[in-house]
Amino acid sequence: MKKKTALIISAVLAGSMAVTLCGCDLFGGNRSDSSFAYDGAVAGGYHGTEAEYMADQDTPSTAERRCYEAAVANGEFSGTYVEFLKQFRNTESSDGQTVNQALTSVVCVEASFSGATSRGSGVIYSLDRLSGDAYIVTNYHVVYSKDIYGRFGLSNKINVYLYGGETSASAISATFYGGAMSYDIAVLKVTGSQLLKSSSATAAKIADSDSVTVGERVYALGNPNGEGFSVSSGVVSVAAEYISVLRADERETLSLLGIRTDTAVNHGNSGGGLFNANGELVGIVNARREQTNDGTALYGFGYAIPSALVAPLVQNILDHGGNAVAAQLGITAQVTDSKGVYDERTGKYYIEEKLVVNSFASTAGAGYNAGLKRGDTLLSASIVSASGTEKTVQLTRLHMLSNLLFEIESGDTLRLVISRSDEMQTVSILFNQSSYFKTLV
């Protein structure tokens, strides 16, 4: 990779930046509220324990877990997930087949600039084999040169290579379609490739990264050191944290959400995939932390942008002709409290955060106009589209709200369930003004 990560910033600051326009505190607020998302669910009629509630929000992220859930649902097993594994998995399973399947969705990326070449990786997001068309996601810094400012810094000659086809004769021409430098995500487009038509390439299967488990096996597939395809393995070290990195043009320091892994991540892995044991994409590899403040070397600090952010962001870029257009709440929200909740049934330790409105950008913002107040605790969010479809997310982690903003389109309504002075309320925000959206750099 071309960048080093800087120090990891505090959770409160990172969370505030994740959903903010700016951070000025213009208005007074309410008294402190004691509610977490679970408390809001109970007030709404939920009858399970807090551990059961957290597990209910979880999408099983391994084949074994899915088998366990099915066995419990069918009345074939009544014990815990750990007991299920002890009974039915006597030997360490091999992930070779699923990793090989994942390789069909990974590419090497070569971006040329005047006098220089950047080598990285990419993941096929969508593929039309009949036409030979594809969209590929990679890191912005793979296809951008900091020495040439602005959009002129983007490479005008990009080639991608499929597994087994890493020679000049097998180069597939791609163009920069769009992206968001502020999230280090770029989308490449391939049109009418005969090599794609006759290849074994597939689009990646995307998993819910919010369901990854600390200690879960993961694999980094990419182009380390620019020497061709390679696979490295490890575990999820931290499921979600914010890190500080330089933007591709090195003119700004970004706060980026990442999955930390001890999987070997090296120069050239940038833009490649972090896959789970089922061969499903859980993140786009983008950084590693190489040293501490005093220069002491660090090992096993690799990062990937979670798929729960990548998927809606990439789709947003495709839907807006290459630009990333994010809905803006016009608030800063921060984590004021958090706790660990262990579920004995699934054997998983969850983190539940308390999300509180801290300040407003102005009196013209979407959140302020809808009636949000400083001190409101955010419990759940639902996007109700103009056509009537609805998607609801329980806000157990702050990044879930910021990720959701990429899915809001003009005419949609965001319905927030909040707790204000320990009383549950619903605030509806209609995104019907152009000022409620921002095109990202």
Side-chain angles (χ1 to χ4, degrees):
M1 293 170 299
K2 296 164 66 178
K3 306 291 185 292
K4 292 182 180 180
T5 65
L7 291 176
I8 298 173
I9 62 177
S10 71
V12 171
L13 177 57
S16 297
M17 293 179 68
V19 289
T20 184
L21 283 175
C22 69
C24 52
D25 184 4
L26 300 181
F27 313 101
N30 307 300
R31 68 177 176 84
S32 178
D33 188 279
S34 61
S35 299
F36 280 78
Y38 169 69
D39 302 301
V42 171
Y46 185 82
H47 298 294
T49 66
E50 191 163 13
E52 290 169 339
Y53 166 77
M54 294 299 293
D56 286 344
Q57 317 312 316
D58 198 28
T59 302
S61 57
T62 64
E64 295 96 336
R65 172 74 185 279
R66 291 168 188 164
C67 289
Y68 167 71
E69 297 287 353
V72 171
N74 295 331
E76 299 167 351
F77 193 83
S78 60
T80 68
Y81 178 52
V82 175
E83 292 169 339
F84 177 84
L85 290 178
K86 288 180 179 179
Q87 183 171 342
F88 291 99
R89 192 176 69 189
N90 297 320
T91 59
E92 183 69 21
S93 60
S94 171
D95 301 327
Q97 290 179 321
T98 55
V99 169
N100 274 262
Q101 173 62 39
L103 274 170
T104 64
S105 64
V106 178
V107 299
C108 294
V109 177
E110 187 177 79
S112 298
F113 306 90
S114 55
T117 300
S118 171
R119 293 181 175 87
S121 312
V123 175
I124 300 174
Y125 178 79
S126 65
L127 172 67
D128 184 338
R129 189 181 305 283
L130 290 177
S131 64
D133 296 348
Y135 288 103
I136 296 168
V137 58
T138 186
N139 287 145
Y140 209 101
H141 73 255
V142 170
V143 295
Y144 184 90
S145 172
K146 67 179 179 61
D147 298 321
I148 313 172
Y149 183 61
R151 293 184 68 86
F152 295 105
L154 290 162
S155 172
N156 59 10
K157 183 181 179 182
I158 303 172
N159 287 324
V160 299
Y161 302 84
L162 301 174
Y163 184 72
E166 299 158 66
T167 63
S168 57
S170 298
I172 299 173
S173 178
T175 57
F176 175 84
Y177 178 81
M181 189 189 297
S182 53
Y183 283 85
D184 201 19
I185 288 293
V187 178
L188 311 180
K189 184 176 182 179
V190 173
T191 304
S193 169
Q194 294 299 322
L195 286 171
L196 272 182
K197 290 180 182 181
S198 61
S199 73
S200 299
T202 63
K205 298 177 181 177
I206 301 177
D208 180 8
S209 59
D210 283 332
S211 295
V212 298
T213 303
V214 171
E216 179 180 342
R217 295 193 308 277
V218 285
Y219 297 84
L221 278 61
N223 179 24
N225 205 37
E227 295 182 2
F229 286 90
S230 180
V231 177
S232 55
S233 66
V235 298
V236 172
S237 303
V238 179
E241 64 180 336
Y242 283 89
I243 61 171
S244 179
V245 297
L246 282 174
R247 202 168 68 177
D249 60 6
E250 297 192 359
R251 292 182 174 232
E252 184 180 334
T253 298
L254 305 173
S255 172
L256 288 184
L257 182 67
I259 299 170
R260 191 204 300 178
T261 176
D262 68 347
T263 305
V265 168
N266 292 287
H267 299 270
N269 273 115
S270 289
L274 187 70
F275 292 84
N276 63 19
N278 295 329
E280 299 165 328
L281 184 74
V282 295
I284 296 295
V285 176
N286 74 312
R288 71 176 180 184
R289 195 177 182 199
E290 297 179 329
Q291 61 186 31
T292 62
N293 276 341
D294 62 5
T296 304
L298 284 173
Y299 303 97
F301 272 68
Y303 293 92
I305 304 170
S307 60
L309 169 57
V310 172
L313 175 55
V314 171
Q315 192 58 52
N316 184 290
I317 292 167
L318 295 177
D319 290 343
H320 293 93
N323 295 313
V325 181
Q328 303 290 294
L329 282 175
I331 67 172
T332 59
Q334 67 179 30
V335 176
T336 61
D337 197 4
S338 66
K339 57 185 172 181
V341 180
Y342 181 73
D343 180 30
E344 292 185 355
R345 186 178 68 90
T346 60
K348 185 170 178 178
Y349 217 154
Y350 299 93
I351 294 176
E352 186 178 10
E353 296 174 340
K354 180 180 176 182
L355 284 54
V356 176
V357 176
N358 182 54
S359 62
F360 296 85
S362 74
T363 57
Y368 184 83
N369 285 343
L372 284 176
K373 296 184 181 296
R374 184 170 181 260
D376 286 345
T377 301
L378 308 174
L379 305 177
S380 71
S382 301
I383 297 176
V384 183
S385 71
S387 62
T389 60
E390 184 172 337
K391 175 181 179 178
T392 300
V393 174
Q394 304 298 317
L395 299 177
T396 56
R397 301 291 300 269
L398 183 56
H399 67 262
M400 293 177 175
L401 179 59
S402 56
N403 292 353
L404 199 64
L405 297 180
F406 286 109
E407 300 185 48
I408 298 174
E409 296 290 340
S410 180
D412 291 350
T413 296
L414 179 66
R415 191 167 60 232
L416 294 171
V417 176
I418 67 168
S419 180
R420 180 178 295 166
S421 300
D422 292 324
E423 292 184 2
M424 303 301 160
Q425 300 184 31
T426 300
V427 174
S428 294
I429 306 171
L430 176 60
F431 282 83
N432 61 350
Q433 299 183 34
S434 59
S435 61
Y436 291 175
F437 295 88
K438 180 181 181 180
T439 300
L440 304 180
V441 175

